[in-house]
Amino acid sequence: TEEFIDTDCRYRPEDILTIRFVDGQGIPQNVVETREGKLVSVLPRQSTALVSDCLGEDCLQKFLFLNLEWKNPKDAENAIINTKRFLDHEEHPSLVEGLRQQRAQQNGSKGVTLNQCFQSFSRPERLDDHNMWYCSTCKEHVRALKTMKLWRLPNILVVHLKRFEYKHGFRRDKLDTFVSFPLAGLNMDPHRAHWKSASEGDKAFVNNSIPAEYDLFAVVNHYGRMGFGHYTAFAMQWDETGISKEWNLFDDSHVRPVQPSDVQTSAAYILFYRRRHFN
């Protein structure tokens, strides 16, 4: 290739260059598997899918990096790297859009969706050196892969949004990021663990015959900061047979009707959902 110049013509580029997929922490990601005795890449030759989706749950981050390692043999004095060609690249539109969304979320200007919160909650996490897990098989503390899964969906789903975080010692700052959550038709199917017991009977953790759709019936709001503030609530009546369509605002001793469009605010703290079909 033009990036690698060997005037003696004794080496191939693959003898000099090693390419690895790594995550943001520099941990290598395996992109090959054995099929019929041959090593085959798990990545499709042409696809618009994310690389992290192809690698499965072992991939910890949304973005992966190509780690290029050049190792010139000691006797390859005439093997050099064409620096200009090596640094030439084109940014794919998906990368540009992904970085734009990431910056928007960090700045809090666009907010996040409830589905994105669930995806972040269930994303696999590699434990660091200070939180290693003891493996009963190898009898050593290892940096295990931790994953949070929803094994069984309840009839009443309570979602507690993280609105406070430690930043400076004992001080906790308020997080006012706007979270967009559906008032009706929250589909929890993508966020639950699709696993059943061996018997596949009544003791199964997951019952796929019951739809995983939820409707919102109450929201607790918090205004102010840690240690002081004010709570209000949006709510509507419901029972086992159905749910009303009238929202009301509860503010201390005052109660007044509100429009559904008033329910979604950046003050939302705790969300209460009712399953459309009870288990």
Side-chain angles (χ1 to χ4, degrees):
T1 63
E2 296 183 16
E3 292 83 0
F4 172 73
I5 301 176
D6 178 15
T7 56
D8 293 338
C9 300
R10 290 188 299 166
Y11 297 96
R12 299 172 302 171
E14 52 266 33
D15 296 330
I16 307 297
L17 176 64
T18 301
I19 303 178
R20 292 188 177 93
F21 274 103
V22 299
D23 62 15
Q25 299 178 350
I27 299 177
Q29 301 291 316
N30 187 22
V31 297
V32 296
E33 63 182 8
T34 302
R35 298 177 185 173
E36 299 179 354
K38 297 181 180 180
L39 291 178
V40 181
S41 173
V42 300
L43 302 177
R45 184 175 296 273
Q46 291 184 348
S47 175
T48 58
L50 296 176
V51 173
S52 55
D53 292 340
C54 299
L55 297 183
E57 294 186 348
D58 288 338
C59 183
L60 306 183
Q61 300 182 16
K62 187 174 182 179
F63 293 101
L64 295 179
F65 303 89
L66 282 177
N67 185 19
L68 307 180
E69 298 181 2
W70 293 89
K71 297 181 180 179
N72 281 12
K74 295 181 179 180
D75 58 345
E77 298 180 355
N78 295 324
I80 60 176
I81 299 174
N82 187 335
T83 306
K84 183 178 182 304
R85 284 285 302 162
F86 178 73
L87 296 178
D88 285 345
H89 70 283
E90 294 182 1
E91 292 187 346
H92 193 272
S94 63
L95 174 62
V96 177
E97 176 63 18
L99 293 175
R100 186 195 66 78
Q101 294 180 3
Q102 189 179 52
R103 286 192 295 266
Q105 292 179 14
Q106 292 174 349
N107 296 333
S109 58
K110 296 293 184 179
V112 296
T113 66
L114 186 59
N115 277 329
Q116 289 175 324
C117 293
F118 279 121
Q119 291 172 0
S120 178
F121 175 79
S122 59
R123 181 177 299 124
E125 174 186 0
R126 182 74 64 181
L127 300 179
D128 57 28
D129 294 334
H130 302 288
N131 296 280
M132 291 197 294
W133 176 75
Y134 182 75
C135 177
S136 59
T137 302
C138 63
K139 309 299 181 183
E140 293 182 357
H141 286 86
V142 297
R143 294 185 58 192
L145 189 66
K146 183 186 75 173
T147 305
M148 303 289 288
K149 291 289 186 180
L150 299 176
W151 288 100
R152 179 182 293 173
L153 295 176
N155 290 329
I156 304 300
L157 177 66
V158 181
V159 181
H160 189 172
L161 300 177
K162 180 180 178 181
R163 287 301 186 188
F164 302 96
E165 68 173 350
Y166 285 102
K167 281 191 174 181
H168 307 286
F170 294 99
R171 197 185 81 184
R172 301 184 76 177
D173 292 342
K174 176 74 178 292
L175 301 176
D176 293 317
T177 304
F178 177 77
V179 179
S180 176
F181 49 88
L183 303 186
L186 171 64
N187 184 15
M188 290 298 297
D189 187 69
H191 308 300
R192 64 178 175 177
H194 292 272
W195 180 85
K196 287 189 176 183
S197 63
S199 63
E200 295 286 331
D202 296 335
K203 295 183 180 180
F205 281 106
V206 178
N207 188 342
N208 292 322
S209 64
I210 302 177
E213 290 186 335
Y214 287 80
D215 297 318
L216 186 73
F217 69 88
V219 178
V220 173
N221 306 299
H222 178 271
Y223 300 91
R225 295 294 171 183
M226 183 66 181
F228 66 92
H230 181 63
Y231 287 93
T232 66
F234 295 111
M236 55 184 177
Q237 293 182 342
W238 68 273
D239 55 26
E240 287 77 5
T241 61
I243 191 169
S244 71
K245 297 182 180 180
E246 297 179 357
W247 283 96
N248 291 278
L249 170 63
F250 296 81
D251 188 353
D252 290 339
S253 60
H254 302 283
V255 180
R256 63 179 177 86
V258 295
Q259 297 297 320
S261 57
D262 298 329
V263 176
Q264 287 191 354
T265 70
S266 59
Y269 191 21
I270 305 177
L271 311 177
F272 296 84
Y273 282 91
R274 172 192 181 276
R275 200 168 192 169
R276 286 188 179 179
H277 302 278
F278 275 26
N279 184 359

